[in-house]
Amino acid sequence: MKTLTWHMKIPFLKNTYVLRSLFLAYLATIGLVSIILIIVFISSGDADQLSSLILPMAGIYLFLFVLGFISAWIVMGNKYQLLYTLDQEGVLIEGTKDKGRNIKQLAIGAGVLTLNPGLVGAGLLVRENVIFIPWEDISNIEVESEYNRVVIHCSSWMKVALHYPVAIKDKLIKQLNTKVK
């Protein structure tokens, strides 16, 4: 198999996979906070006052969503450049600008400033800006020609988009179909 390599600049606001991940992380966070608040109010016997919290908490949740979205946009940049490589071992996706390092530093710094050990830990867990997928982990591919991307399905939880220039579409799809069963 011949190695296929290309660069792409991906606009932040048009990358549905990144936006979906941000939104799901946000939903999980506000869901957990809401459950904790409900448990605290019920256990203290103030369940009747929960209705008065709905509007203020909705405002806080909206503010945090906008703040998180803008922060992610600033950290990741309006466009980020990726280097894609398909070779004998699998698919390699590398960020050509080290955004992972920036995100790691931002999370650690924010965790220290807010005295939040969970955020510091999350920052320490940020991986380098590299994704490698061996061929045997890929279960299916889905071509989305209107967006110039191929979605690689590894599991029900892991989907990775390969954005491609139109000039290499046929070569890319041929190599993927050759390697993916």
Side-chain angles (χ1 to χ4, degrees):
M1 172 184 199
K2 188 175 178 184
T3 301
L4 181 62
T5 303
W6 72 96
H7 284 86
M8 283 296 293
K9 282 189 176 180
I10 313 298
F12 176 73
L13 293 175
K14 291 187 179 180
N15 192 335
T16 56
Y17 291 93
V18 170
L19 294 176
R20 183 181 63 181
S21 297
L22 285 172
F23 188 68
L24 289 175
Y26 172 74
L27 283 180
T29 303
I30 67 166
L32 184 63
V33 168
S34 297
I35 290 170
I36 290 171
L37 280 174
I38 290 169
I39 291 172
V40 166
F41 271 79
I42 290 174
S43 66
S44 66
D46 295 329
D48 56 327
Q49 294 181 11
L50 274 173
S51 62
S52 64
L53 272 183
I54 292 174
L55 193 57
M57 290 309 293
I60 291 170
Y61 289 159
L62 180 63
F63 172 75
L64 290 176
F65 175 74
V66 170
L67 183 66
F69 180 80
I70 291 172
S71 299
W73 190 10
I74 290 170
V75 169
M76 295 180 82
N78 187 34
K79 288 188 176 184
Y80 52 99
Q81 180 138 351
L82 296 174
L83 171 66
Y84 296 95
T85 305
L86 274 66
D87 60 15
Q88 287 291 72
E89 282 81 42
V91 178
L92 179 67
I93 305 169
E94 299 176 86
T96 56
K97 293 181 180 175
D98 192 7
K99 299 289 185 187
R101 183 180 206 185
N102 295 344
I103 294 168
K104 182 181 235 177
Q105 291 172 347
L106 182 67
I108 292 171
V112 168
L113 290 175
T114 60
L115 301 175
N116 185 340
L119 190 54
V120 173
L124 291 172
L125 291 175
V126 171
R127 295 184 303 168
E128 295 304 316
N129 215 4
V130 175
I131 298 172
F132 176 71
I133 306 167
W135 291 115
E136 55 270 5
D137 290 354
I138 300 173
S139 61
N140 189 21
I141 62 169
E142 177 184 342
V143 180
E144 296 179 349
S145 297
E146 64 273 8
Y147 300 112
N148 293 331
R149 70 180 172 211
V150 175
V151 179
I152 296 175
H153 297 264
C154 299
S155 67
S156 59
W157 290 100
M158 185 175 171
K159 296 177 184 176
V160 179
L162 303 179
H163 299 267
Y164 59 83
V166 177
I168 69 160
K169 177 184 176 183
D170 295 331
K171 191 185 301 186
L172 170 66
I173 293 171
K174 182 179 177 186
Q175 282 194 354
L176 286 170
N177 284 329
T178 302
K179 289 304 246 178
V180 177
K181 297 172 178 111

